[in-house]
Amino acid sequence: IAGITQAPTSQILAAGRRMTLRCTQDMRHNAMYWYRQDLGLGLRLIHYSNTAGTTGKGEVPDGYSVSRANTDDFPLTLASAVPSQTSVYFCASSDGTSRPSEQFFGPGTRLTVL
Amino acid sequence: GQNIDQPTEMTATEGAIVQINCTYQTSGFNGLFWYQQHAGEAPTFLSYNVLDGLEEKGRFSSFLSRSKGYSYLLLKELQMKDSASYLCAVSDSNYQLIWGAGTKLIIKP
């Protein structure tokens, strides 16, 4: 693995179903992020984690949860999917939490909720 | 509130120069990033400015004026592969990135 991987690449999901999007990085970065990207709205932060064992809420956290059991993995869970959660989801990581630093992005997961 | 503005779409000709502007109002400022995003792909880092002035990196340059809350990305000698969206993002007081909606750049032959 080099960089950040996400799975699945795409998914069609029935409303009300539970879904976990996976994200793994091998750069030993402390900080990880989940964004959603919708046409015309840009990237919006859902949740973040500055270090393993800690998480925080971003701009649009409702309906989503995350965990950070170790440095490498940062899964995003939709407990009960709704059509408004149809979006492209990007996971990102960076090596700085107390200074500005470049974020590296995974390839994204395209999620459709019907 | 926090706000970052960029033009939605721009068109330019292969071989020409284009300037993509970004204005911002954020709670705190710890630098401004530009990213490139090709359709269907992830954003990739282009540049970072924290001090006023111009940073040049090959065909791409980025300018910042903190007093005006203004930045621009300058692309020279445009190539067809430069067709992409360009995202402006500001690092706020908590070092979180606040993102603009992006500017879609269309390059015509």
Side-chain angles (χ1 to χ4, degrees):
Chain A
I1 299 176
I4 301 182
T5 58
Q6 293 184 235
T9 302
S10 65
Q11 182 76 43
I12 298 174
L13 190 65
R17 296 296 294 269
R18 180 184 179 90
M19 175 74 191
T20 295
L21 308 185
R22 300 185 298 279
C23 174
T24 300
Q25 54 108 356
D26 67 352
M27 296 176 283
R28 309 303 294 173
H29 284 168
N30 285 323
M32 297 187 75
Y33 312 88
W34 273 106
Y35 293 97
R36 59 178 290 172
Q37 187 175 40
D38 303 288
L39 195 64
L41 293 179
L43 289 162
R44 291 183 291 169
L45 183 65
I46 303 171
H47 285 285
Y48 66 93
S49 169
N50 285 336
T51 189
T54 68
T55 63
K57 293 181 179 180
E59 178 187 356
V60 288
D62 293 344
Y64 306 94
S65 64
V66 292
S67 61
R68 187 88 183 277
N70 57 61
T71 298
D72 298 344
D73 301 300
F74 191 42
L76 176 74
T77 298
L78 289 68
S80 178
V82 295
S84 62
Q85 292 178 310
T86 294
S87 187
V88 180
Y89 291 86
F90 287 103
C91 180
S93 72
S94 70
D95 64 0
T97 58
S98 58
R99 57 179 176 81
S101 59
E102 175 189 351
Q103 291 187 10
F104 296 82
F105 285 80
T109 294
R110 185 175 296 273
L111 182 67
T112 302
V113 183
L114 302 176
Chain B
Q2 309 208 90
N3 194 49
I4 298 182
D5 287 319
Q6 308 177 231
T8 302
E9 186 174 296
M10 299 181 69
T11 302
T13 304
E14 189 177 16
I17 299 172
V18 71
Q19 178 176 311
I20 302 173
N21 296 325
C22 171
T23 58
Y24 63 89
Q25 289 180 300
T26 57
S27 58
F29 179 83
N30 283 303
L32 187 143
F33 291 81
W34 284 96
Y35 280 74
Q36 181 189 59
Q37 185 177 25
H38 286 101
E41 298 183 8
T44 55
F45 171 80
L46 285 177
S47 67
Y48 171 68
N49 295 67
V50 66
L51 300 176
D52 290 350
L54 188 68
E55 294 277 345
E56 298 186 77
K57 190 184 295 185
R59 294 188 299 113
F60 292 8
S61 303
S62 55
F63 172 84
L64 176 67
S65 169
R66 289 172 296 172
S67 63
K68 295 182 179 179
Y70 168 70
S71 173
Y72 67 72
L73 181 69
L74 191 71
L75 290 72
K76 303 176 185 176
E77 302 170 14
L78 286 170
Q79 302 175 10
M80 298 304 292
K81 68 178 182 179
D82 297 330
S83 293
S85 289
Y86 292 85
L87 314 181
C88 172
V90 170
S91 178
D92 70 6
S93 56
N94 296 314
Y95 304 103
Q96 300 286 358
L97 291 187
I98 309 301
W99 296 83
T103 299
K104 182 178 181 180
L105 179 62
I106 299 168
I107 310 296
K108 295 186 175 180

